[in-house]
Amino acid sequence: MRQLAGCETGPCPKVFYNTETDEFDVQGTNVAAMPLTTIPDDEKLVRIPGAIMRQAIAAYRAGA
């Protein structure tokens, strides 16, 4: 697993990419479910700042 975006240490929004499973993991602020959205019991809805997502996308595309 490699970190694509976010601060290097501490509890801040981060985006990780698992190269073995081709899955993304995100760390962000826990938010309540939005209207018309059903969140399964084993999932959480998290908020990630746009700048962090853009950084993650750029890093993924660059193969970081």
Side-chain angles (χ1 to χ4, degrees):
M1 183 166 318
R2 65 180 189 229
Q3 182 176 332
L4 295 178
C7 66
E8 296 298 319
T9 60
C12 61
K14 296 179 179 90
V15 177
F16 300 92
Y17 177 62
N18 188 325
T19 57
E20 294 179 14
T21 62
D22 191 33
E23 295 175 314
F24 293 89
D25 296 319
V26 297
Q27 174 184 334
T29 303
N30 196 16
V31 295
M34 293 185 267
L36 305 177
T37 301
T38 302
I39 307 296
D41 290 340
D42 64 336
E43 295 180 0
K44 298 287 183 195
L45 182 65
V46 297
R47 182 168 290 134
I48 303 294
I52 298 294
M53 287 306 297
R54 286 187 289 278
Q55 180 185 9
I57 291 165
Y60 176 74
R61 286 180 176 161

